[in-house]
Amino acid sequence: FSGLTLGHRRGHFVRAILESIAFVLRSNLELLEELGTEIAEVRALGGGARSDLWLRIKADVCQRDLLVMECEEATCLGTAMLACVGSGIHKDLAEARDKMVRVRKRVVHNPAMAAPYDAAYQRYQELYRNVKGLF
């Protein structure tokens, strides 16, 4: 936490945590792109994908739409897909994916949030560089 005042309350701390995790996601996406990986889409699943606020923050921080998956449990779904292929229900993983993986909704990023989140992201990166040697 940085820049705290007596006016900050619980909600400010919660939002700061959600935004900092979104900044880590953005950093990881940028690193992958620098390494030459094309990122066609970003998918969200698991318990965090139940929070509309967090989905909105991640979409706006990363300046990308998020696809929220219908199945929250990727490990279970992957296991079921393998079982379906192994038992002959689907001929291969591509067919299993096409039949079993579904998008529940798309969270569209808000371009108006790009400038404020770019500035906050730059502050986050600077703070991280200054404290990363402490841990």
Side-chain angles (χ1 to χ4, degrees), residues 1-53:
F1 299 105
S2 173
L4 299 177
T5 69
L6 293 175
H8 288 97
R9 299 288 179 250
R10 179 184 305 170
H12 296 104
F13 289 92
V14 171
R15 186 171 188 106
I17 291 167
L18 297 177
E19 288 176 338
S20 68
I21 295 168
F23 292 148
V24 171
L25 174 60
R26 178 173 170 172
S27 177
N28 289 337
L29 292 171
E30 289 176 354
L31 177 61
L32 287 169
E33 289 176 329
E34 287 171 16
L35 294 172
T37 302
E38 180 183 336
I39 301 170
E41 59 190 26
V42 178
R43 295 179 175 210
L45 55 143
R50 292 182 206 142
S51 168
D52 288 335
L53 173 63

Side-chain angles (χ1 to χ4, degrees), residues 4 25 29 42 63 69 71 97 116-117 122-123 129:
L4 299 177
L25 174 60
L29 292 171
V42 178
Q63 299 172 27
M69 307 311 295
C71 179
R97 175 202 61 218
Y117 271 129
Q122 296 307 315
R123 286 191 310 273
R129 280 191 301 271

Side-chain angles (χ1 to χ4, degrees), residues 33-133:
E33 289 176 329
E34 287 171 16
L35 294 172
T37 302
E38 180 183 336
I39 301 170
E41 59 190 26
V42 178
R43 295 179 175 210
L45 55 143
R50 292 182 206 142
S51 168
D52 288 335
L53 173 63
W54 202 5
L55 291 169
R56 162 72 37 226
I57 289 170
K58 287 188 281 190
D60 290 345
V61 165
C62 295
Q63 299 172 27
R64 297 170 183 267
D65 294 355
L66 296 181
L67 300 178
V68 181
M69 307 311 295
E70 185 175 289
C71 179
E72 294 179 354
E73 301 299 333
T75 302
C76 294
L77 179 59
T79 302
M81 291 168 63
L82 290 170
C84 286
V85 172
S87 64
I89 294 171
H90 298 302
K91 67 178 179 172
D92 56 25
L93 283 174
E95 180 180 299
R97 175 202 61 218
D98 293 343
K99 299 286 186 181
M100 299 173 75
V101 177
R102 292 178 198 84
V103 174
R104 181 167 44 97
K105 69 178 177 179
R106 175 182 293 269
V107 178
V108 179
H109 73 283
N110 180 356
M113 294 303 295
Y117 271 129
D118 281 346
Y121 181 61
Q122 296 307 315
R123 286 191 310 273
Y124 164 83
Q125 287 184 310
E126 184 178 340
L127 283 167
Y128 178 73
R129 280 191 301 271
N130 289 330
V131 300
K132 72 180 180 181

